[in-house]
Each structure stands twice: as structure tokens, then as C-alpha cells.
Amino acid sequence: MSQDTSSASRREVLTLAGGAALVAASSFTLGKAMADTATITPDAQDVFLVIDVQNDFLPGGSLAVKNGDQVIAPINALAKKFPNVVQTQDWHTKAHVSFASSHAGAKPFEMTKLSYGDQVLWPDHCVQGSKGAAFSDQLDLPMVQLVIRKGYHQNVDSYSAFLEADKTTKTGLTGYLTERGIKRCFVAGLATDFCVAWTALDARKAGFETYVIEDASRGIDALGSMAAAIRNMDAAGVKRIQSSAILGA
């Protein structure tokens, strides 16, 4: 663990952790990749991926995303429009390698080097079987067909629903969606600049047309991570839409 990393270095590494290493830096505007579509009617080839709407990421949680609870109402409404719905759930072991508490002298949001690269150190969160790891009881998603648990390997973090942070270990979601004949992925949840963005980017890499539903997602925005996520999603061809495109005005 590097205790004396400069602010500039921390900013650079955290931006990389948010996905900026995937493309060269370029200028962008927040509205650049908004999908120009009036109405989308989900069908059997579409899936709604609901990312990590868990107590620890909601107000009062150990890694709360600001206004994270505001994603719940649109997600509940959107899920009713999709024939296929999948949830993800952070599911860490105790003393997980991504926890600052697992590294002597480290503080949350500092950086360390692990075998697979740079790692943000987080507050303890979403420990298996804990109340913080549970889905919000405000979610109304009885139609969910699959829950992908991620981050349960002790020595590797996991943001994406498709690949763990080593970019090698697969969750099996690509195969599941491919066998179901899915062509388009619609992604929402927490947090926009980490698990939502990484999921969207990996969905594109897997060949799916991909949309992030912005008003059904919220971000952490740590040291430029939101800007990096938007830039990378735009470059990868991820389309950003509002829930009204599916729900109507």
C-alpha cells in the first residue's frame, strides 16, 4: 500500500479504476451519447439488468451513494416492462481484499496494487449474509429470473455483472443471455460510475446493444470517476437514455 501517493496520483489511479484506461482521453459533453429514441418497447430479446440496489449502497449504508434510494421507484416501474430481468448483488467475504480494513494502516478510498492491478480500497460493505448486503426492501421485483452474486472471491474485487476485476474470471452472464437469445441490455442501479458503467462496457464487449438508464442510476463521482465513466461509455457505443423512453412521458 502506498501511503504517500500524491493527490494527482490518486486522482489518476482512481480515474483508471473507474474505467478511463479503456480509451484515450477525449473531450465530451454529458449529453453526447443520449440515445435519440422516442419510445422503446422491450421484447423477448431485451434484458433489464438491475445493479446492486443493496442496503449498504443506500442512505445510511456503509458505502452509501448520494440519493441512491431515488433509483428504486423508476427501477420498480421499469422492471414491469421487461420480459427478462436480472439482478446483481455484491457478496463479499469478511476481510475481503478490497476492504481498507484488510490492509494495515489503509483508509477507505485510498489505492493499493493487487495481483490484477490498481484497486480502490473501500469501507467494509455487502458482507455475505449481512443486512447491508440485502436488497432494499423497497424493491418490488418478483419477476427477477436470475441473481448474479459477485465479489465473493476473497482476493479479487468485482464491479461488472459479466467479469470480475481481474478481467478474466467470468460470472457466466454472457452465456446465460446468449442462450436466452438476448440482444439488448438495459442497465440501471448503483453506482453509475463503477458497477453500472463496468457492466455496460462489458455488455458491449460481449456484443450486446447496451443502454444505461440514467435517471434510474446514481453515481459516487469520486475524483472524476463519473466523467471517466461517461467518456468511456460514449466511446464504447453505450447509449444513455431516460426511463421515459420506456415508460412514456
Side-chain angles (χ1 to χ4, degrees), residues 106 138 170 185-186 191:
Q138 299 301 305
K170 299 178 180 180
C185 293
F186 293 80

Side-chain angles (χ1 to χ4, degrees), residues 101-180:
S101 62
S102 299
H103 303 264
K107 297 178 181 179
F109 307 106
E110 291 183 340
M111 303 298 303
T112 193
K113 285 274 190 182
L114 298 178
S115 60
Y116 53 84
D118 297 311
Q119 173 67 49
V120 183
L121 294 177
W122 303 108
D124 289 23
H125 66 281
C126 297
V127 173
Q128 295 173 5
S130 68
K131 181 178 179 181
F135 293 123
S136 168
D137 60 10
Q138 299 301 305
L139 286 173
D140 183 19
L141 304 176
M143 72 293 288
V144 166
Q145 299 149 350
L146 176 70
V147 174
I148 292 285
R149 284 178 166 169
K150 56 190 181 64
Y152 57 82
H153 290 118
Q154 178 74 32
N155 294 315
V156 60
D157 205 3
S158 186
Y159 301 132
S160 170
F162 292 89
L163 288 173
E164 296 192 1
D166 60 5
K167 294 297 183 183
T168 300
T169 305
K170 299 178 180 180
T171 68
L173 183 57
T174 300
Y176 173 83
L177 297 180
T178 299
E179 289 201 4
R180 295 287 302 275

Side-chain angles (χ1 to χ4, degrees), residues 29-84:
T29 61
L30 294 182
K32 176 181 176 183
M34 293 293 291
D36 183 16
T37 179
T39 303
I40 296 173
T41 301
D43 61 26
Q45 293 184 320
D46 297 323
V47 66
F48 184 33
L49 303 179
V50 180
I51 308 299
D52 295 359
V53 186
Q54 297 168 253
N55 291 325
D56 270 343
F57 298 130
L58 297 172
S62 64
L63 187 50
V65 178
K66 184 178 180 180
N67 298 323
D69 54 336
Q70 294 179 5
V71 308
I72 294 173
I75 283 174
N76 286 343
L78 286 160
K80 293 177 173 62
K81 299 291 187 179
F82 283 85
N84 303 295

Side-chain angles (χ1 to χ4, degrees), residues 9-28:
S9 296
R10 287 197 299 271
R11 181 183 299 274
E12 179 183 4
V13 174
L14 187 51
T15 300
L16 292 176
L22 297 176
V23 297
S26 60
S27 61
F28 67 99

